[in-house]
Amino acid sequence: MRICVIGAGAIGGLLAAKLADAGEDVSVIARGPHLAAINANGLKLIEGDKEIVAKVKASDRIADVGTQDLVILGMKAHQVAAVVRDLPALYGPETSVLTAQNGIPWWYFFKHGGAHEGVRLESVDPGGVIADNLPIERVLASVVYPAAEIERPGVIKHIEGYRFSLAEVDGKPTERLEIIAAAFTRAGFKAPIVADIRTELWTKLWGNATFNPISALTHATLEDICRFGLTRKLAEDVMREVKAIGEALGIRFRIPLEKRISGAEAVGPHKTSMLQDVETGRALEADALLGSVIELGRIVSVPSPHLDALYAVVKLLGKTLADHKGRLVVEPA
């Protein structure tokens, strides 16, 4: 398959390296020192004591890589709108676009079949830029479970996990899904095709919407949050609100709340992705993980005071980080 991964960061880089190593024809879209390192030395992936160097084509211009069978959007949710107008340069008649973002996706109510069919979520698709420029017929959904990080430019470190759940947006089985799942499996991933992708999205989001903002604000690991009484109680309160919103939309949470928190605690001293973004000065996923849930709560008339409070302070944190990043600091003589 000809596969282009747009956003060859931690997860995108993991996918690109392993798919290329398995023999797929992989291109990546990257920027800056990361792009320069990939072009100079290949895309390196570290998995435990094993290292592979994947030969991929790399560019910072989508138009450079030509027609693809599969496009993987590996960037974060708030970065998708910036690339969708350029995606047609990659399209052939059968090109699929796999979304690999955390949180509630922009397509949530598309091919949904419920009372809110076709409703656009302003929190994750402001102005409808994505929906207007990415045909829903091309879109495939995924839930991303692996953890990875960019160790240095051109080098991805795989921390844990191999599962990418795959689905059509309407939940139907298709030949294209089977082909893509087979490619992922050859590359060493677990790639089940699931019929109810929205329930699986909510199960993962249940933890992400809770622990990511708390960790970003406190600089605490999952273990720390769950073992400190006050933040464990806060996590419980937030998770009850997320659960209530999901249930109002017809989602069944199959794991008890306490078991979900215990599972997070068992991960140990792990820094969430949002805390890693704080530490590296990257933009925070506040809207995909929090703002979208709050917007859904408004749609189904479920209040979310704890989520609202977390969202407000995380948005301010993101603004503060951006302001400091953009400010020239002159050291005194």
Side-chain angles (χ1 to χ4, degrees):
M1 296 180 70
R2 296 195 68 192
I3 300 173
C4 178
V5 180
I6 303 178
I11 296 301
L14 169 67
L15 281 166
K18 289 183 73 67
L19 287 165
D21 191 55
E24 308 298 343
D25 181 0
V26 177
S27 301
V28 299
I29 305 300
R31 297 180 300 180
H34 194 48
L35 172 62
I38 293 170
N39 277 327
N41 306 308
L43 178 61
K44 180 181 285 189
L45 175 65
I46 301 171
E47 291 187 292
D49 57 1
K50 177 186 174 184
E51 292 187 6
I52 63 171
V53 178
K55 300 299 181 184
V56 300
K57 295 183 284 291
S59 176
D60 58 0
R61 282 173 39 86
I62 289 173
D64 287 348
V65 301
T67 303
Q68 303 292 309
D69 300 306
L70 174 65
V71 178
I72 299 175
L73 300 181
M75 74 283 286
K76 294 188 175 179
H78 55 264
Q79 298 170 320
V80 174
V83 304
V84 288
R85 290 187 177 91
D86 297 324
L87 295 183
L90 306 177
Y91 294 164
E94 305 298 326
T95 305
S96 300
V97 179
L98 180 69
T99 60
Q101 284 71 51
N102 281 325
I104 296 293
W106 62 271
W107 50 258
Y108 189 85
F109 285 125
F110 289 78
K111 296 188 177 182
H112 179 263
H116 307 292
E117 174 66 38
V119 169
R120 182 179 56 78
L121 298 174
E122 185 70 18
S123 53
V124 286
D125 188 13
V129 171
I130 304 174
D132 289 346
N133 290 278
L134 178 46
I136 193 64
E137 291 75 18
R138 292 192 182 272
V139 175
L140 296 173
S142 73
V143 179
V144 178
Y145 290 96
E149 62 187 19
I150 300 177
E151 185 167 88
R152 59 184 184 275
V155 180
I156 307 297
K157 183 177 181 180
H158 184 193
I159 298 170
E160 64 174 359
Y162 290 90
R163 180 182 172 113
F164 286 84
S165 294
L166 305 176
E168 292 283 352
V169 172
D170 61 8
K172 296 177 181 177
T174 60
E175 182 180 2
R176 66 174 179 172
L177 260 182
E178 293 176 1
I179 292 169
I180 292 165
F184 274 49
T185 301
R186 288 193 299 270
F189 296 111
K190 297 177 181 178
I193 295 172
V194 299
D196 187 3
I197 194 69
R198 288 170 179 82
T199 290
E200 198 160 327
L201 282 166
W202 275 94
T203 302
K204 185 182 180 192
L205 177 65
W206 203 16
N208 280 347
T210 302
F211 295 110
N212 272 269
I214 296 174
S215 68
L217 293 163
T218 63
H219 288 238
T221 67
L222 289 177
E223 180 182 76
D224 297 332
I225 293 166
C226 295
R227 292 183 179 177
F228 186 66
L230 293 174
T231 50
R232 189 183 185 99
K233 174 62 166 57
L234 175 59
E236 291 171 356
D237 291 338
V238 173
M239 292 183 80
R240 286 191 187 95
E241 292 179 0
V242 175
K243 186 171 185 282
I245 294 168
E247 288 177 337
L249 289 162
I251 301 299
R252 283 189 60 220
F253 291 78
R254 300 184 177 95
I255 303 171
L257 187 151
E258 185 57 37
K259 185 175 181 180
R260 184 67 178 84
I261 292 179
S262 296
E265 181 179 357
V267 174
H270 172 67
K271 293 181 179 181
T272 69
S273 60
M274 191 177 284
L275 174 53
Q276 293 178 44
D277 288 342
V278 169
E279 292 179 342
T280 55
R282 294 191 293 261
L284 307 183
E285 294 180 285
D287 290 305
L289 298 183
L290 294 167
S292 58
V293 182
I294 293 169
E295 184 175 358
L296 290 171
R298 303 289 188 267
I299 290 172
V300 294
S301 301
V302 175
S304 55
H306 293 88
L307 275 169
D308 294 351
L310 281 180
Y311 179 68
V313 290
V314 167
K315 287 291 281 188
L316 177 57
L317 174 60
K319 181 180 184 302
T320 302
L321 290 170
D323 288 348
H324 281 291
K325 188 175 181 179
R327 187 176 299 144
L328 178 63
V329 178
V330 179
E331 296 294 337

